[in-house]
């Protein structure tokens, strides 16, 4: 894992953008009551849901946002931010989740090529309600009932493997109290005992970090489950 | 010198706005009150270099606003983009409707929701619970100081108050000055043997923890 500092979160000055294009707050807002036309303002890039952030994020992509509201209620306070996306802006919201969304939940929408590529190349927990769209990775989990999906979301947030658990907001707290900042490790812990059908190089940095901290666990390819966490002792026996 | 932390209040009803402003003034906060969204946006713009509110109270329904050129959603989006560290409470008569909640979440994914039908007293109670917090052996007093209860020593910086208000969530700080203030607060906690510790998540992100983990260097993908 690199010790170099990560890039700072980009900042957009919304009023400056408004001023350039439309005069002082001109066409951004139109008539204002009841959060008027929040989803269809002239400048949808200004919606808060598209603001870049490095916190743990759950991107929920649906037609109407109802599932996102339910997911938000299911997530324990402070563990993750739920980002309510639609099929037309799912890509943009996913790009704003840095380094990538921890979890993507979807229902009744198609996957854009960019989002499908992200899900196939990064260890993103992928939960789907109903029939899966084309392009979902093989490690995606599909659910028939919302209650089962919400239960899985809750379990992922509170997962614990060998004393390692998700820290509030971001990172992983190891058994010895060390806070390890690794999006990949967060995904491995939340997915356990399942894994990710991704190349071994995706997990090399996590393996090195866990070995450095004598965590007793390491990512390893485990047949049908893909790459998952296994006890270091078990690993040496294989 | 103490800098009273600002609280942004967007409420279209003049009487309710007065009540909320008086409440915060009594608690030694500096209320930035607005009856319209455009006024709230102006307040944020005018204060952007001098201060950042520690809390925002937003009425989602602005039917009585004198100026309707902006919406509560615009204020929330602005807060989400540029004042992420500011906790936001949004209240509405229709907070149960999933489409209202969805719109609020798309404007500000971290916004806390409150049912306006529970009355103003309920909102004030909730605000007080947030602002008069006790975290470990620390307590906010009069909105302007963090008190270390065993010694009664005080720390006055508003960024310290922000961290206590946010506990256990992560707070992102946006300037070197704020980051330095946070580190000084961390040293102050250490020098007082406080049960609360400052935890750095890198990239100017910090949170308070009662059982502080040792923090290691970031990895490549975090």
């Amino acid at each position: 894992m690199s010790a170099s500092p990560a890039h700072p979160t980009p900042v957009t000055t919304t009023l400056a953008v408004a001023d350039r294009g439309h005069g002082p707050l001109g066409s951004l807002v139109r008539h204002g009551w009841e959060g008027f036309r929040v989803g269809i303002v002239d400048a949808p890039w200004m919606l808060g849901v598209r603001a870049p952030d490095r916190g743990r994020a759950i991107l929920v992509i649906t037609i109407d946002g109802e599932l996102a509201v339910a997911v938000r209620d299911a997530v324990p306070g402070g563990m993750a931010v739920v980002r309510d996306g639609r099929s037309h802006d799912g890509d943009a919201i996913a790009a704003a989740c840095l380094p990538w969304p921890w979890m993507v939940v979807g229902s009744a929408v198609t996957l854009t090529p960019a989002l499908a590529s992200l899900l196939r190349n990064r260890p993103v927990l992928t939960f789907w309600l109903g029939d899966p769209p084309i392009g979902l990775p093989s490690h995606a989990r599909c659910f028939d009932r919302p209650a089962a999906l919400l239960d899985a979301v809750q379990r992922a947030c509170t997962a614990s493997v060998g004393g390692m658990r998700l820290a509030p907001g971001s990172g992983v707290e190891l058994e010895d109290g060390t806070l390890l900042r690794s999006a990949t490790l967060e995904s491995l812990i939340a997915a356990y005992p399942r894994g990710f059908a991704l190349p071994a190089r995706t997990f090399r940095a996590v393996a090195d970090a866990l070995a450095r901290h004598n965590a007793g666990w390491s990512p390893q390819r485990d047949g049908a489950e893909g790459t998952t966490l296994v006890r270091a002792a078990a690993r040496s026996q294989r | 010198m103490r800098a009273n932390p600002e609280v942004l209040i967007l409420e279209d009803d003049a009487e309710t706005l007065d009540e909320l402003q008086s409440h915060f003034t009594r608690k030694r906060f500096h209320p930035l009150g607005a009856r319209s969204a455009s006024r709230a946006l102006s307040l944020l713009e005018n204060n952007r270099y001098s201060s950042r509110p520690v809390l925002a109270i937003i009425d989602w329904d602005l039917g009585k606003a004198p100026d309707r050129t902006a919406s509560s959603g615009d204020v929330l989006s602005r807060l989400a983009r540029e004042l992420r560290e500011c906790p936001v409470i949004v209240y509405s008569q229709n907070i149960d409707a999933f489409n209202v909640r969805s719109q609020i979440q798309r404007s500000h994914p971290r916004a806390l929701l409150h049912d306006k039908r529970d009355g103003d007293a309920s909102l004030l109670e909730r605000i007080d619970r947030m602002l008069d917090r006790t975290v470990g052996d620390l307590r906010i007093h009069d909105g302007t100081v963090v008190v270390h209860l065993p010694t009664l020593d005080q720390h006055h910086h508003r960024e310290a108050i922000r961290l206590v208000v946010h506990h256990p969530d992560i707070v992102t700080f946006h300037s070197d000055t704020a980051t330095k203030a946070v580190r000084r607060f961390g040293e102050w906690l250490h020098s007082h043997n406080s049960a609360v510790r400052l935890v750095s998540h890198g990239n100017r992100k910090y949170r308070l923890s009662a059982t502080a983990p040792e923090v290691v260097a970031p990895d490549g993908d975090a």
Side-chain angles (χ1 to χ4, degrees), chain A residues 1-2 14-15 29 32 34 38 45 49 54 72-73 84 86 89 99 177 179 181-182 184, chain B residues 45 61 68-69 74 78 81-82 101-102 105-107 111 201 213-214 218-219 221-222:
Chain A
M1 295 187 186
S2 162
T14 51
L15 286 186
V29 287
E34 284 277 339
V38 164
W45 63 87
V49 76
R54 300 195 75 87
R72 191 184 202 239
D73 287 343
D84 182 355
R86 305 287 182 269
D89 62 8
L179 177 68
R181 288 163 45 208
S182 166
T184 303
Chain B
E45 182 67 14
D61 319 310
R68 296 185 179 183
T69 55
D74 297 314
R78 171 79 190 254
R81 284 195 160 273
E82 297 176 17
R101 294 181 64 178
S102 177
Q105 284 176 19
R106 278 175 65 77
S107 299
H201 283 251
E214 176 199 347
D219 65 9
D221 61 10

mmCIF file of all heavy atoms in Angstrom, chain A residues 1-2 14-15 29 32 34 38 45 49 54 72-73 84 86 89 99 177 179 181-182 184, chain B residues 45 61 68-69 74 78 81-82 101-102 105-107 111 201 213-214 218-219 221-222:
data_model
loop_
_atom_site.group_PDB
_atom_site.id
_atom_site.type_symbol
_atom_site.label_atom_id
_atom_site.label_comp_id
_atom_site.label_asym_id
_atom_site.label_seq_id
_atom_site.Cartn_x
_atom_site.Cartn_y
_atom_site.Cartn_z
ATOM 1 N N MET A 1 0.827 -1.192 0.000
ATOM 2 C CA MET A 1 0.000 0.000 0.000
ATOM 3 C C MET A 1 0.867 1.248 0.000
ATOM 4 O O MET A 1 1.864 1.319 0.687
ATOM 5 C CB MET A 1 -0.883 0.010 1.247
ATOM 6 C CG MET A 1 -1.865 -1.113 1.242
ATOM 7 S SD MET A 1 -3.005 -0.951 2.589
ATOM 8 C CE MET A 1 -3.872 -2.483 2.382
ATOM 9 N N SER A 2 0.477 2.206 -0.742
ATOM 10 C CA SER A 2 1.250 3.422 -0.853
ATOM 11 C C SER A 2 1.100 4.264 0.402
ATOM 12 O O SER A 2 0.026 4.349 0.984
ATOM 13 C CB SER A 2 0.753 4.212 -2.063
ATOM 14 O OG SER A 2 1.181 5.545 -1.968
ATOM 15 N N THR A 14 -20.512 26.442 -6.025
ATOM 16 C CA THR A 14 -21.752 26.414 -6.801
ATOM 17 C C THR A 14 -22.190 27.795 -7.246
ATOM 18 O O THR A 14 -22.685 27.965 -8.349
ATOM 19 C CB THR A 14 -22.873 25.788 -5.954
ATOM 20 O OG1 THR A 14 -22.913 26.441 -4.706
ATOM 21 C CG2 THR A 14 -22.641 24.324 -5.752
ATOM 22 N N LEU A 15 -22.007 28.791 -6.383
ATOM 23 C CA LEU A 15 -22.446 30.124 -6.785
ATOM 24 C C LEU A 15 -21.594 30.655 -7.926
ATOM 25 O O LEU A 15 -22.085 31.345 -8.816
ATOM 26 C CB LEU A 15 -22.393 31.078 -5.597
ATOM 27 C CG LEU A 15 -23.502 30.875 -4.571
ATOM 28 C CD1 LEU A 15 -23.453 31.961 -3.514
ATOM 29 C CD2 LEU A 15 -24.865 30.881 -5.234
ATOM 30 N N VAL A 29 -32.770 27.876 -10.078
ATOM 31 C CA VAL A 29 -33.715 27.575 -9.017
ATOM 32 C C VAL A 29 -35.179 27.689 -9.407
ATOM 33 O O VAL A 29 -36.016 26.941 -8.943
ATOM 34 C CB VAL A 29 -33.417 28.503 -7.828
ATOM 35 C CG1 VAL A 29 -32.161 28.054 -7.170
ATOM 36 C CG2 VAL A 29 -33.286 29.953 -8.259
ATOM 37 N N GLY A 32 -39.477 28.720 -5.831
ATOM 38 C CA GLY A 32 -38.970 27.897 -4.739
ATOM 39 C C GLY A 32 -39.960 27.607 -3.638
ATOM 40 O O GLY A 32 -40.348 28.483 -2.903
ATOM 41 N N GLU A 34 -41.218 23.824 -1.238
ATOM 42 C CA GLU A 34 -41.193 22.366 -1.138
ATOM 43 C C GLU A 34 -39.980 21.771 -1.836
ATOM 44 O O GLU A 34 -40.078 20.732 -2.475
ATOM 45 C CB GLU A 34 -42.472 21.767 -1.747
ATOM 46 C CG GLU A 34 -43.686 21.919 -0.870
ATOM 47 C CD GLU A 34 -43.754 20.825 0.168
ATOM 48 O OE1 GLU A 34 -43.128 19.783 -0.042
ATOM 49 O OE2 GLU A 34 -44.408 21.038 1.181
ATOM 50 N N VAL A 38 -36.197 19.655 -7.237
ATOM 51 C CA VAL A 38 -34.827 19.326 -6.847
ATOM 52 C C VAL A 38 -34.175 18.395 -7.850
ATOM 53 O O VAL A 38 -33.033 18.567 -8.218
ATOM 54 C CB VAL A 38 -34.824 18.680 -5.438
ATOM 55 C CG1 VAL A 38 -33.516 17.990 -5.161
ATOM 56 C CG2 VAL A 38 -35.073 19.745 -4.402
ATOM 57 N N TRP A 45 -25.894 18.950 -11.798
ATOM 58 C CA TRP A 45 -24.592 18.642 -11.201
ATOM 59 C C TRP A 45 -24.439 19.319 -9.849
ATOM 60 O O TRP A 45 -23.537 19.015 -9.095
ATOM 61 C CB TRP A 45 -23.458 19.090 -12.137
ATOM 62 C CG TRP A 45 -23.420 20.569 -12.362
ATOM 63 C CD1 TRP A 45 -22.794 21.511 -11.608
ATOM 64 C CD2 TRP A 45 -24.058 21.280 -13.433
ATOM 65 N NE1 TRP A 45 -23.002 22.757 -12.121
ATOM 66 C CE2 TRP A 45 -23.762 22.653 -13.247
ATOM 67 C CE3 TRP A 45 -24.823 20.901 -14.525
ATOM 68 C CZ2 TRP A 45 -24.221 23.635 -14.113
ATOM 69 C CZ3 TRP A 45 -25.270 21.888 -15.393
ATOM 70 C CH2 TRP A 45 -24.989 23.227 -15.185
ATOM 71 N N VAL A 49 -26.071 15.208 -3.812
ATOM 72 C CA VAL A 49 -25.771 13.789 -3.958
ATOM 73 C C VAL A 49 -24.607 13.563 -4.927
ATOM 74 O O VAL A 49 -23.995 12.498 -4.940
ATOM 75 C CB VAL A 49 -27.042 13.035 -4.418
ATOM 76 C CG1 VAL A 49 -27.335 13.273 -5.892
ATOM 77 C CG2 VAL A 49 -26.946 11.553 -4.108
ATOM 78 N N ARG A 54 -15.073 11.249 0.299
ATOM 79 C CA ARG A 54 -14.282 10.042 0.511
ATOM 80 C C ARG A 54 -14.858 9.143 1.603
ATOM 81 O O ARG A 54 -14.260 8.139 1.952
ATOM 82 C CB ARG A 54 -12.840 10.407 0.872
ATOM 83 C CG ARG A 54 -12.117 11.212 -0.190
ATOM 84 C CD ARG A 54 -10.629 11.233 0.058
ATOM 85 N NE ARG A 54 -10.017 9.974 -0.299
ATOM 86 C CZ ARG A 54 -9.590 9.657 -1.510
ATOM 87 N NH1 ARG A 54 -9.712 10.512 -2.494
ATOM 88 N NH2 ARG A 54 -9.037 8.491 -1.751
ATOM 89 N N ARG A 72 -31.619 3.773 3.722
ATOM 90 C CA ARG A 72 -31.124 4.760 4.682
ATOM 91 C C ARG A 72 -31.605 4.424 6.093
ATOM 92 O O ARG A 72 -30.871 4.555 7.067
ATOM 93 C CB ARG A 72 -31.586 6.159 4.293
ATOM 94 C CG ARG A 72 -30.898 7.260 5.072
ATOM 95 C CD ARG A 72 -31.467 8.611 4.717
ATOM 96 N NE ARG A 72 -30.550 9.686 5.025
ATOM 97 C CZ ARG A 72 -30.860 10.688 5.862
ATOM 98 N NH1 ARG A 72 -32.019 10.711 6.452
ATOM 99 N NH2 ARG A 72 -29.988 11.644 6.095
ATOM 100 N N ASP A 73 -32.849 3.979 6.187
ATOM 101 C CA ASP A 73 -33.381 3.605 7.502
ATOM 102 C C ASP A 73 -32.705 2.354 8.062
ATOM 103 O O ASP A 73 -32.660 2.160 9.273
ATOM 104 C CB ASP A 73 -34.889 3.364 7.403
ATOM 105 C CG ASP A 73 -35.669 4.662 7.236
ATOM 106 O OD1 ASP A 73 -35.092 5.725 7.526
ATOM 107 O OD2 ASP A 73 -36.837 4.609 6.806
ATOM 108 N N ASP A 84 -28.716 8.593 -3.166
ATOM 109 C CA ASP A 84 -29.943 8.228 -3.881
ATOM 110 C C ASP A 84 -29.790 8.602 -5.359
ATOM 111 O O ASP A 84 -29.848 9.774 -5.720
ATOM 112 C CB ASP A 84 -31.100 8.990 -3.206
ATOM 113 C CG ASP A 84 -32.448 8.677 -3.800
ATOM 114 O OD1 ASP A 84 -32.512 7.939 -4.797
ATOM 115 O OD2 ASP A 84 -33.447 9.181 -3.268
ATOM 116 N N ARG A 86 -30.480 7.914 -9.727
ATOM 117 C CA ARG A 86 -31.396 7.464 -10.770
ATOM 118 C C ARG A 86 -30.542 6.897 -11.903
ATOM 119 O O ARG A 86 -29.333 7.143 -11.962
ATOM 120 C CB ARG A 86 -32.246 8.625 -11.294
ATOM 121 C CG ARG A 86 -33.022 9.364 -10.225
ATOM 122 C CD ARG A 86 -34.207 8.533 -9.727
ATOM 123 N NE ARG A 86 -34.969 9.296 -8.741
ATOM 124 C CZ ARG A 86 -34.754 9.255 -7.433
ATOM 125 N NH1 ARG A 86 -33.816 8.460 -6.949
ATOM 126 N NH2 ARG A 86 -35.461 9.965 -6.597
ATOM 127 N N ASP A 89 -28.241 9.462 -13.614
ATOM 128 C CA ASP A 89 -27.099 10.099 -12.944
ATOM 129 C C ASP A 89 -26.300 9.129 -12.064
ATOM 130 O O ASP A 89 -25.427 9.546 -11.309
ATOM 131 C CB ASP A 89 -27.526 11.339 -12.149
ATOM 132 C CG ASP A 89 -28.513 11.027 -11.012
ATOM 133 O OD1 ASP A 89 -28.743 9.835 -10.741
ATOM 134 O OD2 ASP A 89 -29.035 11.984 -10.429
ATOM 135 N N PRO A 99 -12.761 6.236 -2.988
ATOM 136 C CA PRO A 99 -12.262 5.973 -4.342
ATOM 137 C C PRO A 99 -13.311 5.313 -5.241
ATOM 138 O O PRO A 99 -13.220 5.395 -6.441
ATOM 139 C CB PRO A 99 -11.095 5.021 -4.091
ATOM 140 C CG PRO A 99 -11.458 4.311 -2.830
ATOM 141 C CD PRO A 99 -12.191 5.315 -1.983
ATOM 142 N N GLY A 177 -6.940 -2.382 17.759
ATOM 143 C CA GLY A 177 -7.358 -0.977 17.847
ATOM 144 C C GLY A 177 -6.824 -0.107 16.739
ATOM 145 O O GLY A 177 -7.172 1.066 16.635
ATOM 146 N N LEU A 179 -6.468 1.671 13.265
ATOM 147 C CA LEU A 179 -7.399 2.047 12.198
ATOM 148 C C LEU A 179 -6.676 1.926 10.863
ATOM 149 O O LEU A 179 -5.681 2.611 10.629
ATOM 150 C CB LEU A 179 -7.875 3.487 12.401
ATOM 151 C CG LEU A 179 -8.808 4.030 11.310
ATOM 152 C CD1 LEU A 179 -10.151 3.329 11.337
ATOM 153 C CD2 LEU A 179 -9.000 5.534 11.479
ATOM 154 N N ARG A 181 -6.903 2.300 6.840
ATOM 155 C CA ARG A 181 -7.742 2.933 5.813
ATOM 156 C C ARG A 181 -7.584 2.185 4.506
ATOM 157 O O ARG A 181 -6.591 2.329 3.809
ATOM 158 C CB ARG A 181 -7.350 4.395 5.668
ATOM 159 C CG ARG A 181 -7.794 5.227 6.858
ATOM 160 C CD ARG A 181 -7.086 6.533 6.942
ATOM 161 N NE ARG A 181 -7.027 7.192 5.644
ATOM 162 C CZ ARG A 181 -6.074 8.029 5.282
ATOM 163 N NH1 ARG A 181 -5.090 8.295 6.103
ATOM 164 N NH2 ARG A 181 -6.105 8.596 4.108
ATOM 165 N N SER A 182 -8.536 1.380 4.176
ATOM 166 C CA SER A 182 -8.481 0.598 2.951
ATOM 167 C C SER A 182 -9.893 0.267 2.486
ATOM 168 O O SER A 182 -10.617 -0.471 3.139
ATOM 169 C CB SER A 182 -7.700 -0.699 3.194
ATOM 170 O OG SER A 182 -7.915 -1.597 2.118
ATOM 171 N N THR A 184 -10.688 -1.519 -0.046
ATOM 172 C CA THR A 184 -10.752 -2.930 -0.430
ATOM 173 C C THR A 184 -10.995 -3.818 0.787
ATOM 174 O O THR A 184 -11.806 -4.750 0.740
ATOM 175 C CB THR A 184 -9.436 -3.332 -1.125
ATOM 176 O OG1 THR A 184 -9.234 -2.469 -2.236
ATOM 177 C CG2 THR A 184 -9.477 -4.772 -1.600
ATOM 178 N N GLU B 45 -22.904 32.793 1.441
ATOM 179 C CA GLU B 45 -21.896 33.387 0.570
ATOM 180 C C GLU B 45 -21.136 34.488 1.313
ATOM 181 O O GLU B 45 -19.914 34.571 1.252
ATOM 182 C CB GLU B 45 -22.577 33.953 -0.683
ATOM 183 C CG GLU B 45 -21.629 34.569 -1.692
ATOM 184 C CD GLU B 45 -20.712 33.526 -2.327
ATOM 185 O OE1 GLU B 45 -20.977 32.327 -2.186
ATOM 186 O OE2 GLU B 45 -19.707 33.947 -2.936
ATOM 187 N N ASP B 61 -40.496 23.248 3.633
ATOM 188 C CA ASP B 61 -41.675 23.856 3.003
ATOM 189 C C ASP B 61 -41.575 25.377 3.114
ATOM 190 O O ASP B 61 -41.713 25.918 4.206
ATOM 191 C CB ASP B 61 -42.955 23.394 3.716
ATOM 192 C CG ASP B 61 -42.897 21.913 4.057
ATOM 193 O OD1 ASP B 61 -42.583 21.127 3.166
ATOM 194 O OD2 ASP B 61 -43.152 21.561 5.234
ATOM 195 N N ARG B 68 -39.282 33.767 -3.624
ATOM 196 C CA ARG B 68 -39.274 32.350 -4.023
ATOM 197 C C ARG B 68 -38.332 32.086 -5.194
ATOM 198 O O ARG B 68 -38.581 31.207 -6.020
ATOM 199 C CB ARG B 68 -40.686 31.907 -4.385
ATOM 200 C CG ARG B 68 -41.628 31.960 -3.206
ATOM 201 C CD ARG B 68 -42.971 31.385 -3.599
ATOM 202 N NE ARG B 68 -43.899 31.385 -2.482
ATOM 203 C CZ ARG B 68 -45.123 30.875 -2.548
ATOM 204 N NH1 ARG B 68 -45.550 30.324 -3.676
ATOM 205 N NH2 ARG B 68 -45.914 30.905 -1.499
ATOM 206 N N THR B 69 -37.283 32.841 -5.294
ATOM 207 C CA THR B 69 -36.372 32.637 -6.416
ATOM 208 C C THR B 69 -35.426 31.466 -6.179
ATOM 209 O O THR B 69 -34.684 31.085 -7.077
ATOM 210 C CB THR B 69 -35.533 33.898 -6.674
ATOM 211 O OG1 THR B 69 -34.874 34.254 -5.463
ATOM 212 C CG2 THR B 69 -36.410 35.045 -7.154
ATOM 213 N N ASP B 74 -32.021 23.985 -2.960
ATOM 214 C CA ASP B 74 -30.796 24.672 -3.394
ATOM 215 C C ASP B 74 -29.870 24.948 -2.214
ATOM 216 O O ASP B 74 -28.654 24.813 -2.316
ATOM 217 C CB ASP B 74 -31.156 25.991 -4.084
ATOM 218 C CG ASP B 74 -31.963 25.748 -5.336
ATOM 219 O OD1 ASP B 74 -31.585 24.862 -6.121
ATOM 220 O OD2 ASP B 74 -32.988 26.426 -5.521
ATOM 221 N N ARG B 78 -26.182 23.314 -1.625
ATOM 222 C CA ARG B 78 -25.029 24.176 -1.355
ATOM 223 C C ARG B 78 -24.315 23.724 -0.075
ATOM 224 O O ARG B 78 -23.082 23.645 -0.020
ATOM 225 C CB ARG B 78 -25.523 25.619 -1.218
ATOM 226 C CG ARG B 78 -24.492 26.611 -0.715
ATOM 227 C CD ARG B 78 -23.556 27.018 -1.829
ATOM 228 N NE ARG B 78 -22.442 27.781 -1.323
ATOM 229 C CZ ARG B 78 -22.309 29.100 -1.473
ATOM 230 N NH1 ARG B 78 -23.199 29.777 -2.140
ATOM 231 N NH2 ARG B 78 -21.257 29.716 -0.997
ATOM 232 N N ARG B 81 -22.392 20.510 -0.716
ATOM 233 C CA ARG B 81 -21.195 20.649 -1.544
ATOM 234 C C ARG B 81 -20.078 21.394 -0.827
ATOM 235 O O ARG B 81 -18.917 21.046 -0.944
ATOM 236 C CB ARG B 81 -21.529 21.406 -2.830
ATOM 237 C CG ARG B 81 -22.264 20.564 -3.840
ATOM 238 C CD ARG B 81 -22.254 21.209 -5.203
ATOM 239 N NE ARG B 81 -22.539 20.197 -6.205
ATOM 240 C CZ ARG B 81 -21.616 19.428 -6.771
ATOM 241 N NH1 ARG B 81 -20.359 19.573 -6.444
ATOM 242 N NH2 ARG B 81 -21.954 18.524 -7.646
ATOM 243 N N GLU B 82 -20.449 22.442 -0.104
ATOM 244 C CA GLU B 82 -19.412 23.346 0.387
ATOM 245 C C GLU B 82 -19.271 23.391 1.906
ATOM 246 O O GLU B 82 -18.300 23.943 2.407
ATOM 247 C CB GLU B 82 -19.666 24.750 -0.164
ATOM 248 C CG GLU B 82 -19.550 24.743 -1.685
ATOM 249 C CD GLU B 82 -19.884 26.073 -2.312
ATOM 250 O OE1 GLU B 82 -19.901 27.084 -1.598
ATOM 251 O OE2 GLU B 82 -20.126 26.090 -3.524
ATOM 252 N N ARG B 101 -38.661 12.673 1.161
ATOM 253 C CA ARG B 101 -37.395 12.210 1.754
ATOM 254 C C ARG B 101 -36.343 11.981 0.675
ATOM 255 O O ARG B 101 -35.161 12.291 0.858
ATOM 256 C CB ARG B 101 -37.632 10.930 2.559
ATOM 257 C CG ARG B 101 -38.518 11.167 3.773
ATOM 258 C CD ARG B 101 -38.730 9.903 4.561
ATOM 259 N NE ARG B 101 -37.486 9.408 5.129
ATOM 260 C CZ ARG B 101 -37.385 8.339 5.901
ATOM 261 N NH1 ARG B 101 -38.474 7.646 6.193
ATOM 262 N NH2 ARG B 101 -36.240 7.961 6.379
ATOM 263 N N SER B 102 -36.783 11.419 -0.450
ATOM 264 C CA SER B 102 -35.841 11.166 -1.534
ATOM 265 C C SER B 102 -35.278 12.475 -2.079
ATOM 266 O O SER B 102 -34.076 12.592 -2.332
ATOM 267 C CB SER B 102 -36.553 10.381 -2.639
ATOM 268 O OG SER B 102 -35.685 10.175 -3.725
ATOM 269 N N GLN B 105 -32.789 13.812 0.384
ATOM 270 C CA GLN B 105 -31.535 13.045 0.364
ATOM 271 C C GLN B 105 -30.716 13.316 -0.894
ATOM 272 O O GLN B 105 -29.499 13.265 -0.866
ATOM 273 C CB GLN B 105 -31.831 11.556 0.465
ATOM 274 C CG GLN B 105 -32.196 11.136 1.875
ATOM 275 C CD GLN B 105 -32.593 9.673 1.961
ATOM 276 O OE1 GLN B 105 -32.284 8.884 1.089
ATOM 277 N NE2 GLN B 105 -33.295 9.328 3.011
ATOM 278 N N ARG B 106 -31.398 13.569 -1.997
ATOM 279 C CA ARG B 106 -30.641 13.891 -3.213
ATOM 280 C C ARG B 106 -30.012 15.287 -3.112
ATOM 281 O O ARG B 106 -28.965 15.546 -3.680
ATOM 282 C CB ARG B 106 -31.535 13.783 -4.454
ATOM 283 C CG ARG B 106 -31.663 12.342 -4.931
ATOM 284 C CD ARG B 106 -32.627 12.189 -6.064
ATOM 285 N NE ARG B 106 -32.247 12.858 -7.308
ATOM 286 C CZ ARG B 106 -31.342 12.416 -8.168
ATOM 287 N NH1 ARG B 106 -30.676 11.308 -7.918
ATOM 288 N NH2 ARG B 106 -31.084 13.071 -9.273
ATOM 289 N N SER B 107 -30.661 16.150 -2.363
ATOM 290 C CA SER B 107 -30.081 17.479 -2.159
ATOM 291 C C SER B 107 -28.950 17.430 -1.137
ATOM 292 O O SER B 107 -27.939 18.118 -1.283
ATOM 293 C CB SER B 107 -31.145 18.460 -1.651
ATOM 294 O OG SER B 107 -32.176 18.578 -2.578
ATOM 295 N N ALA B 111 -28.371 14.814 5.470
ATOM 296 C CA ALA B 111 -29.338 15.598 6.243
ATOM 297 C C ALA B 111 -30.112 14.715 7.216
ATOM 298 O O ALA B 111 -30.498 13.590 6.887
ATOM 299 C CB ALA B 111 -30.307 16.302 5.299
ATOM 300 N N HIS B 201 -8.375 10.626 10.017
ATOM 301 C CA HIS B 201 -8.661 9.724 8.900
ATOM 302 C C HIS B 201 -7.966 10.200 7.629
ATOM 303 O O HIS B 201 -8.285 9.750 6.539
ATOM 304 C CB HIS B 201 -10.174 9.642 8.657
ATOM 305 C CG HIS B 201 -10.881 8.771 9.651
ATOM 306 N ND1 HIS B 201 -11.414 7.551 9.336
ATOM 307 C CD2 HIS B 201 -11.119 8.934 10.971
ATOM 308 C CE1 HIS B 201 -11.965 7.010 10.410
ATOM 309 N NE2 HIS B 201 -11.799 7.831 11.413
ATOM 310 N N PRO B 213 -8.222 4.437 18.397
ATOM 311 C CA PRO B 213 -7.339 3.490 17.761
ATOM 312 C C PRO B 213 -6.064 4.175 17.277
ATOM 313 O O PRO B 213 -6.055 5.372 17.026
ATOM 314 C CB PRO B 213 -8.156 3.004 16.570
ATOM 315 C CG PRO B 213 -9.131 4.087 16.277
ATOM 316 C CD PRO B 213 -9.355 4.821 17.562
ATOM 317 N N GLU B 214 -5.012 3.384 17.199
ATOM 318 C CA GLU B 214 -3.784 3.899 16.599
ATOM 319 C C GLU B 214 -4.030 4.028 15.095
ATOM 320 O O GLU B 214 -4.601 3.141 14.472
ATOM 321 C CB GLU B 214 -2.643 2.908 16.853
ATOM 322 C CG GLU B 214 -1.342 3.279 16.193
ATOM 323 C CD GLU B 214 -0.408 2.074 16.077
ATOM 324 O OE1 GLU B 214 -0.684 1.052 16.729
ATOM 325 O OE2 GLU B 214 0.561 2.172 15.332
ATOM 326 N N PRO B 218 -2.209 5.872 5.227
ATOM 327 C CA PRO B 218 -3.226 5.426 4.283
ATOM 328 C C PRO B 218 -2.657 4.450 3.279
ATOM 329 O O PRO B 218 -1.483 4.497 2.957
ATOM 330 C CB PRO B 218 -3.656 6.722 3.596
ATOM 331 C CG PRO B 218 -2.510 7.657 3.766
ATOM 332 C CD PRO B 218 -1.870 7.286 5.058
ATOM 333 N N ASP B 219 -3.521 3.598 2.770
ATOM 334 C CA ASP B 219 -3.064 2.719 1.711
ATOM 335 C C ASP B 219 -3.423 3.340 0.369
ATOM 336 O O ASP B 219 -3.948 4.437 0.288
ATOM 337 C CB ASP B 219 -3.671 1.329 1.866
ATOM 338 C CG ASP B 219 -5.172 1.345 1.697
ATOM 339 O OD1 ASP B 219 -5.731 2.395 1.285
ATOM 340 O OD2 ASP B 219 -5.786 0.329 1.983
ATOM 341 N N ASP B 221 -5.669 2.636 -1.925
ATOM 342 C CA ASP B 221 -7.027 2.744 -2.429
ATOM 343 C C ASP B 221 -7.990 3.419 -1.470
ATOM 344 O O ASP B 221 -9.153 3.538 -1.760
ATOM 345 C CB ASP B 221 -7.573 1.359 -2.802
ATOM 346 C CG ASP B 221 -7.626 0.426 -1.606
ATOM 347 O OD1 ASP B 221 -7.418 0.894 -0.486
ATOM 348 O OD2 ASP B 221 -7.855 -0.763 -1.790
ATOM 349 N N ALA B 222 -7.489 3.850 -0.314
ATOM 350 C CA ALA B 222 -8.413 4.458 0.645
ATOM 351 C C ALA B 222 -8.699 5.901 0.293
ATOM 352 O O ALA B 222 -7.967 6.525 -0.400
ATOM 353 C CB ALA B 222 -7.835 4.375 2.032
#
